[in-house]
Amino acid sequence: MECVFGMVGKDFALVVADTSAVNSILVHKSNEDKIMLLDPHKLMGASGEAGDRFDLISIWKLGVFVSP
């Protein structure tokens, strides 16, 4: 089970994520970085399949958005 969440306070923001990459009962990695720096003032936490997570964050970094 993966977990990513954030909290915002008056003078702070906190983003937390686990570091495991699992599939069923197999642990593939225990040091996966799920929080990425978008720019000096923005962080993004993501969970899910490693390839999808990387692609999603890369798209956000490039500023490419698909309209419905």
Side-chain angles (χ1 to χ4, degrees):
M1 184 169 161
E2 297 186 31
C3 181
V4 177
F5 66 91
M7 292 183 351
V8 177
K10 183 177 177 183
D11 297 325
F12 70 93
L14 176 70
V15 180
V16 181
D18 68 318
T19 60
S20 61
V22 298
N23 184 13
S24 185
I25 61 170
L26 302 173
V27 177
H28 297 288
K29 287 179 77 177
S30 61
N31 61 350
E32 185 76 17
D33 190 11
K34 297 179 183 174
I35 300 173
M36 302 294 265
L37 184 66
L38 298 178
D39 68 30
H41 301 285
K42 295 178 190 160
L43 296 173
M44 181 178 189
S47 65
E49 296 292 327
D52 295 339
R53 183 173 59 244
F54 180 78
D55 289 344
L56 174 68
I57 293 173
S58 297
I59 289 168
W60 274 91
K61 276 185 175 181
L62 293 174
V64 178
F65 304 105
V66 178
S67 298

